Amino acid sequence: MRGYLELAASTTMYGLGIVAQTIAARRAEQRPGSGLGLLARLATDRIYLLGFAGQVGGFALAFLARESLPLYLVQAGSSSAVGLATVFGVLMLRWRVRAIEIAMLLVMAFGLALLAAASTPSVANDIPTGTGLAMLGLPLLAGAVAVHLGLVTTAVPLAIFAGLAFSVVAITSRTIADEPLVTLVLHPLAWLMLVAALVGQACFAMALQRGSTTSTAASMDGTTVLIASAVGVLALGDQIAPGRSWWVALGLTLVVLGVLVLGAASRSAPAVVTTGAREAG
């Protein structure tokens, strides 16, 4: 029961963090920022720091939940934060959400619900340190270099790469979550997890400046769910309830559909933010 409570609290904190970070990222400058430079500017914004605190708190609770819950369940719960963020934005900031965004959020929500319903608690397999650094660290490094060189500049690709980075966070934290906390300081995969979180945070901030909150967060979360779920089942020993493998296949298909359609909607109708509120479409 504790793991489920940690997951619910984590989702709520992520949702509030998305809203606060969006407001701060959009008002940082009229021209788009980039990478760590953007994060440095945002570090002086109290609203962004509040949102960042929500993300950190959500990450900490999700980390604890991954000790006993499989990745596809934890990531499904964390990804529903985009829905909570939309609700918070509509109620508190008068956001306007287009019909296509609402429809795709419902599609993704159904897909994520199927993934959650097919889940079975399990203990993760350990990833050897050298294998983890090579298989997870090298793609992360290649993507970070591409972003730094300006090869990735638009909202959806940035959000997808942020999702890749956060999937590295999820995978590494799943495999080390059962380690004693005092030993994590010297664990190489724990340091890889922190680097991946920083890269993901930077790309997420850049993507929020260039696209709508809904499509940016959904694209990021959809990517994280797909990669983390696949690695969890294939490499970490995450289990699927008997007879529900097709639920996982259908759920992942719906998540991919949501990512693609939301990405197209974001490119065709970018959001405009004024006086701290987001107006989509």
Side-chain angles (χ1 to χ4, degrees):
M1 177 61 70
R2 189 189 70 178
Y4 293 97
L5 293 176
E6 290 166 345
L7 181 56
S10 170
T11 301
T12 301
M13 295 188 73
Y14 274 138
L16 291 171
I18 289 172
V19 174
Q21 285 181 307
T22 300
I23 296 171
R26 294 293 183 80
R27 73 182 190 178
E29 285 186 9
Q30 290 300 315
R31 67 179 188 279
S34 62
L36 295 179
L38 175 59
L39 283 183
R41 289 194 301 275
L42 290 173
T44 62
D45 190 311
R46 292 182 180 179
I47 293 180
Y48 182 82
L49 293 178
L50 177 63
F52 182 72
Q55 295 284 298
V56 171
F59 164 76
L61 290 166
F63 179 87
L64 295 175
R66 290 186 188 105
E67 180 180 356
S68 58
L69 300 180
L71 276 183
Y72 51 83
L73 174 58
V74 178
Q75 298 314 126
S78 297
S79 295
S80 66
V82 65
L84 283 179
T86 302
V87 172
F88 293 149
V90 169
L91 295 178
M92 296 185 297
L93 301 175
R94 294 179 296 176
W95 287 0
R96 287 186 295 152
V97 181
R98 289 173 292 160
I100 186 64
E101 291 179 308
I102 295 175
M104 288 303 103
L105 280 175
L106 292 174
V107 167
M108 291 187 68
F110 181 61
L112 294 173
L114 287 175
L115 294 175
S119 65
T120 298
S122 61
V123 177
N125 299 329
D126 290 331
I127 297 178
T129 299
T131 301
L133 291 176
M135 298 300 292
L136 300 174
L138 291 179
L140 182 70
L141 177 62
V145 170
V147 172
H148 179 72
L149 294 177
L151 301 178
V152 181
T153 58
T154 56
V156 172
L158 283 168
I160 290 175
F161 180 64
L164 170 64
F166 285 125
S167 71
V168 173
V169 174
I171 293 164
T172 51
S173 63
R174 169 71 165 142
T175 193
I176 65 175
D178 59 343
E179 298 285 338
L181 293 179
V182 294
T183 67
L184 293 180
V185 176
L186 300 178
H187 201 302
L189 292 182
W191 285 99
L192 175 61
M193 177 183 68
L194 293 176
V195 170
L198 180 62
V199 171
Q201 192 69 30
C203 291
F204 184 46
M206 293 169 64
L208 285 174
Q209 283 196 318
R210 294 161 167 82
S212 76
T213 302
T214 304
S215 59
T216 296
S219 297
M220 179 187 72
D221 287 336
T223 301
T224 303
V225 168
L226 289 174
I227 296 176
S229 295
V231 174
V233 171
L234 297 176
L236 299 182
D238 288 354
Q239 302 297 311
I240 301 173
R244 295 188 176 181
S245 295
W246 71 271
W247 290 31
V248 173
L250 178 58
L252 293 177
T253 299
L254 293 176
V255 169
V256 171
L257 175 63
V259 169
L260 293 176
V261 176
L262 280 172
S266 175
R267 288 192 296 271
S268 65
V272 176
V273 173
T274 57
T275 63
R278 167 183 171 272
E279 298 178 0

